[in-house]
Structure formats: C-alpha cells, structure tokens
Amino acid sequence: MLLLLLLLLPAAALLPLWAHAGRIIGGRASRPHSRPYMAYVEVWKDQAVTGRCGGLLVRKDFVLTAAHCGCIACNIRVTLGAHDLSAAEDSQQRLWVQRTIPHPEFTPEPLTHDLLLLQLEQPVVVTEEVKPLALPSVRSAVRPGQTCLVAGWGLRSPAALVAPNTLHEVEVEVQDNDTCTMYCAGYREDSMLCAGSPFQRGSAFRGDSGGPLVCNRVPQGLVSYGNINGSPPAVYTRIAKFVPWIRREMRLLRP
Ligand SMILES: *[C@@H]1O[C@H](CO)[C@@H](O)[C@H](O)[C@H]1NC(C)=O
C-alpha cells in the first residue's frame, strides 16, 4: 500500500527537510546538552529568519549542514550549546557565518551533493555543552539494520504549525539500498543513505535538514529530504563519501 502510494506521488512530494521550526517525528526530547555537537542554523534575510536547519559542529570553526539550507544574499547564524532555543541558556554560543562553501556539485533539482560547510566568524569555545564530533573515516560504512540517532528542532508532524523550542531525537534504522530506492525518489546509492523503517513512525522531518545521523558516535549522514507526509525512510547525505572534500576545504580555509 505504502509503496503504491509513493510511486504515484509526483516528485514534488519530496521536500527538502527545512523551513519552519518544530521537532522530529515520533521521538522524544533529548536530555539537555547530551548532543553537544548539534548546531541550530538560521538563515536571515532582510532582518528576518527565513529558514531553519540543523547542523553538525565538525571543528571549532566549522559547521556542516545541508546545501539546500544555504541561500543567496542572506546571512547565516549558528547557535551552539542550545537545548531550549527560547531560553536564555548560559551554554549557548551564537556566531555569524563568515563564509559558506557548498559542495561544487550540489544541485537542488534533482537534490544531490546536499552538503554545505559553514566557516564561523570565530571559533567556538569548547565546553561541556559545545563540542565538535570527529568526521568518519572515508572507508567507514553503515550497515542495513544498524540503529542510528537523529536529532533536530524540526516539525513533529506534517500538520504541526507551532514550533516547539527544545531539541528532539529519535532512533532510526538504516535501510538497504533497494528499500531506499523503492521509497525515496531521487535516491542515489553512491552518495546517500536512508534511515527510518517504513513500518514505523520515527523520522527526521522539515526543519531537521543538515542535522547529523549519528551511528555508534560517528556522524554518518546529514538530513537531506523525505516524503511530504513525513513517513520514513528519510534520505541523508553520506558523510564518509565527502570527507576528503570536507578536509581539503577546512585545510585551505585555516583561520
Ligand atoms: C549502498 O550502496 C553503496 C554503493 O554501492 C554501498 O557503499 C553502501 O554500503 C550501500 N548501503 C547500504 C546501507 O547497504
């Protein structure tokens, strides 16, 4: 049933998982500050926030997010060390982005190479609540059936209008490539992975884009896109594949 429905849906039913704040579908509130690598990414245009995403602190001065979160003629602000975005938490560090480096092969349609490196205006101060997470090795792989964790401030359901302020998270199971191809239009085996069982509810959703999928404490994916109705699986950029590019850019842009 699900499969049929999805095959009949037009490609436009696949949405980049950004815009609007909110939370993960089918998850729970994270224990405050238990994910110190999580970044909250805001896109500012004409003094207003026009987009929200998640991100991953990969070095003191770099955050990795999804390329479809980027924009032209706008500014990006990153908040680290947040749990409740509405609270004046002492742990929070807010920094403007000095430079955005989208992957050179990124295209919005079809959505591919969906990653963007953000160079912060200055390095964060590493604390208990703000800590980079090391990149995976190029050869590290995820196995189908492996359980990973995705967190974000994204929508909790397709019908949700109100933006909750606290970080949420959910465990999702990595799916095999055939399942991903079947459920997710535009899926590419070489540079993506998909997670979230089609028979369960838990998933990343709108507003979670750019946030990391962490497997065994290693970030393996970045939330990229999913089905419009929020049903899993969702598609992630496969980080390991892009580690050489990420490392090269960070080396070139040494402060
Ligand atoms: C999907 O295919 C790619 C490339 O063929 C492979 O590297 C990857 O391990 C496969 N993913 C899963 C989850 O099996």
Side-chain angles (χ1 to χ4, degrees), residues 142-144 174-177 189-190 238:
V142 290
R143 291 179 318 279
V174 174
Q175 305 295 303
D176 59 56
N177 283 318
E189 288 192 2
D190 62 324
R238 185 188 293 271

Side-chain angles (χ1 to χ4, degrees), residues 1-159:
M1 241 3 215
L2 252 177
L3 171 61
L4 249 183
L5 270 178
L6 275 140
L7 282 174
L8 293 173
L9 283 173
L14 293 160
L15 280 191
L17 297 174
W18 75 314
H20 317 299
R23 14 177 186 175
I24 289 278
I25 294 180
R28 57 178 184 275
S30 304
R31 186 165 56 78
H33 310 296
S34 58
R35 315 287 171 208
Y37 49 79
M38 275 302 301
Y40 173 65
V41 174
E42 282 168 331
V43 174
W44 285 73
K45 214 165 198 168
D46 301 329
Q47 266 131 68
V49 178
T50 58
R52 303 161 205 258
C53 281
L56 166 67
L57 185 66
V58 289
R59 209 174 80 181
K60 279 195 285 189
D61 50 347
F62 280 99
V63 166
L64 198 55
T65 185
H68 74 258
C69 297
C71 53
I72 294 160
C74 63
N75 294 301
I76 296 182
R77 190 172 73 174
V78 173
T79 305
L80 284 312
H83 175 65
D84 183 345
L85 296 168
S86 67
E89 298 168 323
D90 289 340
S91 57
Q92 289 185 13
Q93 298 182 41
R94 286 212 155 120
L95 295 150
W96 289 98
V97 167
Q98 176 186 334
R99 192 175 314 170
T100 58
I101 310 111
H103 190 279
E105 288 167 71
F106 163 66
T107 56
E109 254 178 276
L111 189 56
T112 168
H113 297 79
D114 193 11
L115 75 167
L116 173 68
L117 206 44
L118 305 174
Q119 185 177 30
L120 305 176
E121 59 183 345
Q122 63 191 64
V124 297
V125 178
V126 173
T127 62
E128 272 308 300
E129 298 89 2
V130 178
K131 257 184 225 157
L133 191 60
L135 289 166
S137 70
V138 182
R139 265 186 290 279
S140 78
V142 290
R143 291 179 318 279
Q146 193 173 348
T147 297
C148 306
L149 186 110
V150 60
W153 288 272
L155 286 185
R156 181 151 172 71
S157 87

